[in-house]
Each structure stands twice: as C-alpha cells, then as structure tokens.
Amino acid sequence: MQTRSATAPSAATGSKHFLDRALHPQSVAIIGASNNTERISGRALHYLKSAGFEGRIYPVNPKRSTVQGLPAFASVTDLPESADIALICLGAAHLLDAVNECADAGIGTAVIFAAGFAETGAKGRAAQRELEAVAAQRGVRLFGPNCLGVMNSSIGFMGTFSSAFDGGLPKPGGVAIVSQSGAYGGHLAYLCRRRNLGVSYWMSTGNESDIDVAECIDWLARQDDVSVILAYAEGVTDGARFTSALENARSRHIPIVFMKVGQSAIGARAAQSHTDSLAGEDAVFDAVLRQYGAYRATTTQEQIDVAYACSRGVYPAERSLGVVTVSGGFGVQLCDAAGRHNLDVAPLPEAGQEKLRQINPMGSDNNPCDTTANWLNDTSLITQTLEVMYAEGGYSSIVAALTMLPDTPAFGDQVRQAITAGTADFFDRPTVLCMEARTSVITAYEDDGFLVYDDSERAVKALSALSFFVEAWGRHTHDVDTIESSDSLGDRALSEFESRLRLEAAGLPMLPSALVTSSDELSEATQAIPAPYAIKIVSAEIAHKTEIGGVVLNVADAASAEAARCAIVDRVSVAAPDALIDGVLITAMAPEGIEVIIGTTNDPVFGPVTVVGLGGTEAELYGDIAMRIGRIDTTQAHEMISETRMSALLDGFRGHPGGDRQALVRAIVAVSSFADAHADELGSVEINPLRVLPPGQGAFALDALVIPSTVRNAT
C-alpha cells in the first residue's frame, strides 16, 4: 500500500487540510449518476437533494442530458468548475479512467463505492494496487474502494448510498462516526438517531487504499463541532499515524469510543516466549487504545451508551458515586455494578446523614440512599435528598433508580420538577436516571440535561467510561527521545551471556557472574563471586537449558561448583551433541523476592511493546499484565506496575515484606530503552524472572534473552 502523509492544518501558516474541502464541499460531482433513485448510482444524488445540500451538484452521465432533474455532464472535465469531491458510481473496470479524469479536472478527493478489490483475493489486490498507484501519481486522495461514502449533515452533504439513512436523515450533532465497515458505520448512525444523538460527520473508509481510519480520526478531532468520535476497525497498518491521531484527540479532550474486531494478518506471530503469548495482536491493540486514552467498547450497545454519555460534554471530576433509589434492591444492584466498574460508593459524611434523617425519617441516611415510597406523598423529599447527596457527599456523579415512576400520569410532572430542582446547582457533573418511560418523557429529561438509561449496569458502565476519559486527559504527555544505538545485535542468535552483557550495559541490574570454560577460570570466578552459586550451560543453540540438565542451583562452594560444571558439560554433550557451547555461566544465587517478567516484543505495526507482570507462567495464566508501546519513562513504568495485582505484593500484601518498586521501575525503563534503541533489528527481549528484593535492596535479572529480528523471523 502506498501511503501519503496528510499534514494537519497549521495555525501558523493557515494551510488547509484536504478533508476540509472534501467534508465541507461547495460542489459535488457524481460520476455515473443514475436517474433511478433505487440504484446505488442514484441514491447518493437522491440523498443530496433530499437533505437540501447547500452546494452545487453536478451529475456526470454521458448518456443523459439530465439526471433526477439536474443538468448532466458527459465528463468531469466538462464541469463549469473543479468540484470539491467526486462520488464515483462506476464498476471496477472504469475506475482508472475516472480517477485520471478527476485529476485532469482538478478534483482532489474521490469516493469509490465499487467493490471487487482487495477483499476478493489476489486478483482484486493487484487491481487495488494499480488503482492506488494511479491515484497517488495523479494526486487524488481516495476513500475506498468498497466503501459507502461520507457525510456532513450540518450542510446536507450526503455522499453515500447507505440504506441506514432511508428511514430518515441524521440531525447535526456532536457525534462523528468513522468506520472501515460502511455497513457497521451505517448501523451506528441508525442507532444514534434512535438514541436521539445528532451525527454531524460520517465517514466509511472501506479497503483503505489511501485514506484510513487514523487519518479521519486525526481530522475529526480538530473539528469544533465534534464532541465524541465513534470508530470501528478490523486492523491498522500504520501504527505511527494511528497513535498520532489518538494522541491528537486525547490532547484536545475529544473522547474516542472504539470497536476493534478480528485478528489481522499483520499482527500474526509465532508464540516463541511468554512475552509473545502475552503480547498478541489484539492485546497490543487494546493496550494502545488504553495508553492513548481511547475507550474500547466490547459491544455495539456499549459504544452507543458511552457516546451518549459523552455527547453532553459533562464529566465527573473523580470516581465517587452517589446512589439514590426508591427501593433498596435497586441500591444494592447499583452498588454491585459500581464495584465491577471501579466507581467509589463512598459513605455520606455524618453531617449529611443527619440531614437525611431529618428530611425523611422513613428513608435511609447513607449512600446508597433509599428514599422509600414516602416521597410520593411529598416530592420535595427527592429534591432535598439530591441536594444533600451532592452538597454534603461531594459526589462527582449521582445515579438515581426511579423505576417507571417518571412515566406515571399521577406523578410524572412532579417527579421531573423535583429532580430538576434538586440538581439545579450541580449541572457541572453528570446525573444519571435509571428508568423506563415513553420516548417523549425521556426526551424531556434529556432536554433538561440528564442522562437516561433503562438498565443500571449500562448506566454505571457509561459513568465509568466518562471517568476513564477524564483520567486519560489528565495524564501528562511523555515526550521521550528515541535512542539510537551503534552497537548492532547482528544476525545470529545471542546466548544468555551475550544477552546479559548487552542488557546490563543498558542499565538492567544483574548479579555478579562470569563465563568460564575451564577449571582455572571457574576457580578464579568463585573467588570473586559470593556463594551459593547458580551454574548454567551457555549456548545460543540451546533454548531450554533445564530440560537437558544444563542448570544446577544452590551450589554451596567452589569444589561443588567444579563438580557441577563437569556434570553439566557431560549431560549437555549427550543431550545436544551438535550444539556450539560457549562455556558455563556461574552466577551468585539471588535472595528471595518477588518474581516479575519484563518482556519486549517488536510488533509489526506499533514497534516495541513492553509487557510487565508476575514472573513464570502466572502472567500468561491470569492475564494480569500491563503493556505499553514505545520507550517508557519512569512515570509510565509506575503506572504499569499500579495496573497489576503485583502492585499489592510490592506494598507488602498479607505480611509479605514487599518489593523495591523503584528498582523495578528502573528495570522496566532500561528494558524499554534497550528495545527502543534497537527497534529496527530487535525481535524480542525477555527477562523471566526479574527478582525484586525487599524495599531498598534492588532487583536483579535471573534469566535474560535477546532475540534479533533476523533470528526470530527465521524460526
């Protein structure tokens, strides 16, 4: 795929992004426009007319003088002006000519609806590559092929034939949608309309021969009328462009709610180590989204729920949650959900409890607060309860479970007035209402500024997502310079000893050790290294030393060390007679501590990916790991540790002496820096385990392996 950079608009130069013209067109050419509004080639024109597009529409059809009542042109080169964007409604066989004609006519962006390209196999991929090459050479930017088009509802620009808009055109609003799958993107737009969410921009990228989801996200995040971006992708091919787009949105406090599905071929790799098993393609993508502040939804409903919450632009300052109900059972349900989604249902301070007792002696006086049915006799009770919960509890958000009561003719209007009055001074934070009601009732509450959900789990999960964004936006951007290393890893396998030397030079702490090849060298080493010892065979050709008797631990003294050395050499010569042996490694035994794995694998899309978790197989078994891409600084290393249960062990869980957190941080930074410095030639690094000693006593790598990419790719 040929990639072309599209530099973001510069405030200093006033330069204009090509998507500014494409998504705010004053003129649109429709190549292959049909008079039949039921055909793909006629639907886009029909939508443009129905939406009241504010610009000029130029149907291009050499066989007709008019199309759907508009004058038609034989070619785009015959238009009275250079259109801002072209919608190409032609079969694959005619696309090359159409792209060339667009270039001749000065049209810089085209949308290609036609399928039959890379998604169909080798022949289609070849045709798509040819299309890419022609467009790149002629300077025409492409959406698609195999996409459903683009939209800007604020100006009536409906450059699409998607059936998602048959039932009604979207109203403008703060939601923007970008999707590799046009059908899924259309489904999101349909659901947004049902949820009363306005959608200003809608972009489908299809096969992404040129314009991809990342480029669209980057542009959308810069638009003043976008408050939340819904994104869908099955894979990413340009990791740097993708992370740059996410960081642009994060820095501008634009939430991205992402749906990522599938296992793309670009991320396939053999699981050669624990690190590779942990850092699978989907796990890496998940970590990238989290690292750059994009929220990953697991269901379409969750995507809409979170976008709905974000669309109001009101976010909680922290994760404290107040709960108000009309029944105790709903309070328990909401507290359970809050626990699952890391929201803090903190107790109400005593002063607040006393006020609740005075207001409603029959209700509960804490958080959650059950008002009971008593407030039906006096709806001011709910007003006062909400005021106390917010003012005295200081909660960053409140969720109120109201069942179907807001919909009842007898109490509905009074309930709404009471809730509005009770929260009037606190519209700087989200108030969520869980209830069932007619659409008109729900819309009235939404117009008053409330979020309405019909399920407590979904409501709490959406609030947690709002907190996720606040936390992501508050993180400092860590600009860490890339390190270049002149010390090449080479193109052969490295032994453990060679790996240790390279990593120790990069700052990874190691225990005293020596490579020995004779009795005399061993004797000299035992005088410098304190007993007891660990003794291992050293060979780049032996991956699993323990299985062939190549490791002896807790060797008490020099004499025992010599015996162990001889025994190891004898066993290995039988088990691996053809292996090239460098010698035997003698190392001081490490004191007891917490065993941690630190690994880096070189992802084909995102580059070095560093993983941290408990050592051995536990990280892989429980998935209790933290992951980051790129070079990691000390702040990020601390964040990684805090994301795992290992953090509790370091603090001294249940009588455990704890661990040297600072030493672990330094080790993470060292491994990450080494990987970054050798990114172009590194396959993977694995430290398993790193033994973390009690606080103040340091940490030491007990086993280390560096695999160059040439070796890794050959296996």
Side-chain angles (χ1 to χ4, degrees):
M1 173 179 174
Q2 297 190 24
T3 59
R4 292 171 287 186
S5 63
T7 305
S10 167
T13 63
S15 60
K16 193 172 185 180
H17 197 293
F18 80 97
L19 286 176
D20 292 339
R21 184 180 180 189
L23 269 296
H24 292 91
Q26 297 181 20
S27 57
V28 179
I30 306 177
I31 303 174
S34 171
N35 213 43
N36 186 343
T37 59
E38 299 300 316
R39 298 185 63 183
I40 289 175
S41 52
R43 289 169 70 85
L45 175 54
H46 173 67
Y47 280 154
L48 285 167
K49 294 178 63 179
S50 300
F53 174 57
E54 299 173 2
R56 297 169 294 283
I57 306 172
Y58 297 119
V60 177
N61 187 328
K63 298 180 180 180
R64 303 187 63 91
S65 59
T66 62
V67 176
Q68 296 185 36
L70 296 176
F73 299 83
S75 169
V76 289
T77 57
D78 296 332
L79 302 184
E81 62 177 315
S82 175
D84 293 318
I85 189 171
L87 311 179
I88 303 179
C89 310
L90 300 173
H94 304 286
L95 290 178
L96 292 178
D97 289 340
V99 169
N100 275 313
E101 288 184 6
C102 285
D104 292 339
I107 299 175
T109 306
V111 176
I112 298 179
F113 295 146
F117 287 90
E119 79 280 6
T120 63
K123 186 176 180 180
R125 286 192 294 271
Q128 183 167 311
R129 285 193 295 269
E130 185 180 11
L131 181 66
E132 293 167 8
V134 169
Q137 182 182 18
R138 299 301 309 275
V140 179
R141 302 303 306 270
L142 298 181
F143 280 98
N146 189 30
C147 80
L148 297 189
V150 295
M151 175 196 85
N152 178 353
S153 65
S154 63
I155 59 172
F157 172 49
M158 300 292 295
T160 176
F161 66 89
S162 172
S163 59
F165 307 110
D166 278 351
L169 301 176
K171 66 176 183 180
V175 177
I177 298 172
V178 55
S179 175
Q180 285 180 348
S181 165
Y184 186 81
H187 185 60
L188 287 177
Y190 175 81
L191 293 176
C192 283
R193 188 172 76 246
R194 290 188 57 181
R195 196 66 174 270
N196 197 29
L197 287 172
V199 179
S200 285
Y201 301 101
W202 182 88
M203 307 160 83
S204 70
T205 58
N207 289 6
E208 297 191 343
S209 64
D210 177 16
I211 302 167
D212 62 6
V213 164
E215 197 164 7
C216 294
I217 288 175
D218 188 75
W219 182 83
L220 289 169
R222 301 174 191 276
Q223 306 312 302
D224 293 337
D225 53 349
V226 171
S227 59
V228 58
I229 298 171
L230 290 175
Y232 171 95
E234 296 168 5
V236 170
T237 56
D238 190 326
R241 183 160 62 196
F242 185 70
T243 55
S244 176
L246 296 185
E247 176 57 26
N248 174 38
R250 192 198 70 82
S251 67
R252 295 170 181 270
H253 294 188
I254 301 297
I256 299 174
V257 190
F258 216 107
M259 173 66 74
K260 162 66 171 63
V261 299
Q263 299 289 326
S264 70
I266 59 171
R269 60 169 64 86
Q272 300 173 339
S273 64
H274 289 303
T275 303
D276 285 327
S277 297
L278 295 168
E281 187 264 351
D282 193 63
V284 171
F285 197 94
D286 190 71
V288 168
L289 292 180
R290 190 165 53 250
Q291 182 173 343
Y292 286 90
Y295 183 89
R296 186 175 186 180
T298 55
T299 66
T300 304
Q301 183 182 69
E302 183 184 3
Q303 231 184 337
I304 297 297
D305 280 345
V306 175
Y308 169 75
C310 293
S311 67
R312 299 298 189 269
V314 179
Y315 293 85
E318 55 185 11
R319 287 184 172 269
S320 61
L321 176 66
V323 177
V324 177
T325 72
V326 297
S327 170
F330 288 103
V332 174
Q333 189 179 70
L334 285 164
C335 288
D336 287 346
R340 284 189 291 272
H341 301 296
N342 197 28
L343 296 182
D344 181 17
V345 186
L348 187 67
E350 177 57 37
Q353 294 183 34
E354 177 58 30
K355 288 185 178 181
L356 287 182
R357 286 192 288 269
Q358 294 177 5
I359 291 169
N360 186 8
M362 296 179 63
S364 60
D365 58 4
N366 210 327
N367 185 29
C369 177
D370 175 14
T371 63
T372 73
N374 192 39
W375 65 272
L376 293 177
N377 297 319
D378 181 4
T379 54
S380 70
L381 291 179
I382 198 165
T383 299
Q384 297 176 72
T385 298
L386 288 167
E387 289 175 338
V388 169
M389 292 291 284
Y390 265 137
E392 301 295 332
Y395 301 114
S396 291
S397 58
I398 284 179
V399 58
L402 305 172
T403 68
M404 77 301 293
L405 291 174
D407 201 36
T408 59
F411 302 105
D413 290 341
Q414 292 174 285
V415 170
R416 181 180 159 207
Q417 293 170 12
I419 292 173
T420 302
T423 57
D425 293 333
F426 305 97
F427 274 96
D428 60 336
R429 61 201 77 182
T431 299
V432 180
L433 309 178
C434 288
M435 65 186 197
E436 290 282 357
R438 289 161 292 166
T439 300
S440 59
V441 174
I442 291 173
T443 300
Y445 274 99
E446 290 174 336
D447 290 344
D448 287 343
F450 299 103
L451 297 171
V452 181
Y453 291 85
D454 60 7
D455 178 79
S456 59
E457 181 77 16
R458 290 167 53 200
V460 172
K461 198 169 189 177
L463 279 173
S464 180
L466 293 182
S467 292
F468 167 89
F469 288 119
V470 171
E471 292 158 0
W473 298 337
R475 287 199 299 267
H476 175 67
T477 300
H478 307 285
D479 295 322
V480 184
D481 293 334
T482 298
I483 299 174
E484 294 185 3
S485 175
S486 59
D487 184 16
S488 173
L489 297 180
D491 57 2
R492 63 176 181 82
L494 301 182
S495 69
E496 180 186 352
F497 183 69
E498 292 173 305
S499 297
R500 291 169 63 92
L501 289 178
R502 290 178 177 274
L503 291 167
E504 188 172 24
L508 185 68
M510 299 284 182
L511 289 163
S513 63
L515 177 67
V516 300
T517 60
S518 66
S519 298
D520 290 342
E521 290 179 355
L522 179 64
S523 177
E524 183 179 344
T526 56
Q527 295 177 40
I529 299 172
Y533 309 114
I535 301 179
K536 309 177 186 178
I537 196 71
V538 177
S539 172
E541 299 175 8
I542 299 176
H544 305 289
K545 298 181 287 289
T546 303
E547 295 177 5
I548 62 172
V551 179
V552 178
L553 303 177
N554 292 306
V555 179
D557 51 36
S560 301
E562 172 61 15
R565 183 188 74 84
C566 294
I568 286 174
V569 171
D570 289 343
R571 286 193 293 265
V572 171
S573 65
V574 174
D578 298 327
L580 179 63
I581 306 301
D582 296 335
V584 168
L585 182 69
I586 178 170
T587 310
M589 287 291 296
E592 291 301 312
I594 301 169
E595 294 197 346
V596 174
I597 181 174
I598 304 176
T600 298
T601 187
N602 211 348
D603 185 84
V605 176
F606 296 105
V609 179
T610 300
V611 173
V612 177
L614 288 175
T617 60
E618 293 186 40
E620 188 174 347
L621 178 63
Y622 298 112
D624 183 31
I625 62 167
M627 193 181 302
R628 294 289 189 279
I629 66 170
R631 187 178 167 214
I632 298 167
D633 66 9
T634 55
T635 300
Q636 291 170 314
H638 276 291
E639 291 172 353
M640 293 177 75
I641 295 169
S642 68
E643 291 172 10
T644 69
R645 285 172 288 190
M646 171 178 59
S647 182
L649 287 178
L650 294 171
D651 290 338
F653 182 73
R654 291 192 176 182
H656 192 281
D660 194 329
R661 188 181 294 261
Q662 296 300 328
L664 176 55
V665 165
R666 290 192 294 270
I668 295 170
V669 171
V671 173
S672 168
S673 298
F674 177 84
D676 184 67
H678 295 279
D680 292 339
E681 56 179 347
L682 181 69
S684 63
V685 177
E686 183 160 305
I687 314 301
N688 189 16
L690 178 93
R691 183 160 297 173
V692 183
L693 305 185
Q697 299 182 31
F700 299 97
L702 304 190
D703 202 350
L705 184 62
V706 175
I707 302 177
S709 58
T710 52
V711 175
R712 185 170 183 255
N713 295 336
T715 57

